[in-house]
Amino acid sequence: MSTDRIPVMIPWLGEEEARAASEAVLSGWVAQGPRVAAFERAFAERVGAEHAIAVSSCTTALHLSLVALGLGPGDEVVVPSLSFIATANAVRYVGAEPVFADVEPATGNLTPATVDAVRTSRTRAVLAVHQGGVPADVHALRAACADWDLPLVEDAACAIGTTVGGKPVGHGALIAAWSFHPRKVVTTGEGGMVTTDDAEWAERLRRLREHGMNASAAQRHASTKPVLESYLEVGYNYRMTDIQAAVGLVQLDKLDAMIVRRRELAARYDRLLRDVPGLTPVRDPAYGQSNFQSYWVLLGEDFPVGRDDLLAALSGAGVSARRGIMAAHLEPAYADHPRAPLPVTERISRDSLILPLFHTMTEAQQDRVVTALREQARG
């Protein structure tokens, strides 16, 4: 057996990113500045949004999105429990209550029916996730939310490069939040983005990320006269650095190639695992295409070993797989949080695992993953 461990993810970073970061450092402008502005313009164009506001993480992007909507104590926001815990936590940051909705089995995403099942008179927004890069049916969700007179926030943390109806996720979104964590397709190390078509929201979000200040450092630097800034409301320090943005600009240029490669690898997994009993791989929904930020498989009840034992066996074979998407309501932080039954969420969270997939993955590495899975499938 090879002693080379196959990681679950490797960011596609190289000399171009290193040079871009170095140039930012040598420029003397390392905080939020001209490269952040350039990254915002490029990102907005990529996803088809009018405005993009760079921030320190997707969590802070979600927080600011809910602040922009004016949500607070006494309000409820419908969210999937099947998501990284930051989705639910952001609701609590504004003093509102997350209400957990179940998801559909095929995509792991909210639907109008699952939202409607938990919607109440106190519901003030819906926060949908494009889980693992698999798009939610936002056309159906947007129509339903319009009927309910509720805003729809999109947690697109994993979804850069994903499409719905041939358009990028983010196109036509009321407001969306994005992540550039190293596990994501486009990374800046850490970092996030908010996108929206609303100019007033965008202006306020830019203030809020910078302590509520009415004049940014870049504006003050560009002025030929002294600028005495004012702080118009209580804000936050949620800024992105120019070093991160420099890396992000290079990463955006690579995005098309990354999506092509990830989809090739996902299609090859599909072919190699097609005849393995008890495995259901994640697939594109009829209405869109995934960027395959994650490639996960769901174990059937007839699979010879449980998920945790399978993870241990893969690890022993030098394959670093991961448990599937977490269920926030099963974590200690939400143990006492009231909720409706969430059978699909619990099934996916309990019985799924994420397989290695990264841009530089070789066929030989992928074959090793498949061989290790097949050995366990034989029992």
Side-chain angles (χ1 to χ4, degrees), residues 39-40 43 52-55 57-58 61 176-180 191-195:
F39 186 38
E40 289 172 335
F43 194 89
I53 302 92
V55 291
S57 70
C58 186
W178 310 79
S179 174
F180 306 125
M193 193 79 75
V194 184
T195 56

Side-chain angles (χ1 to χ4, degrees), residues 111-171:
T111 68
T114 65
V115 172
D116 199 29
V118 296
R119 185 172 58 92
T120 74
S121 60
R122 293 174 56 200
T123 304
R124 293 294 176 266
V126 176
L127 204 175
V129 179
H130 299 282
Q131 195 51 259
V134 179
D137 189 350
V138 290
H139 293 156
L141 285 166
R142 289 171 189 172
C145 285
D147 289 342
W148 301 325
D149 195 25
L150 294 174
L152 177 66
V153 180
E154 296 182 34
D155 182 338
C158 300
I160 182 64
T162 291
T163 63
V164 176
K167 299 286 188 182
V169 162
H171 182 272

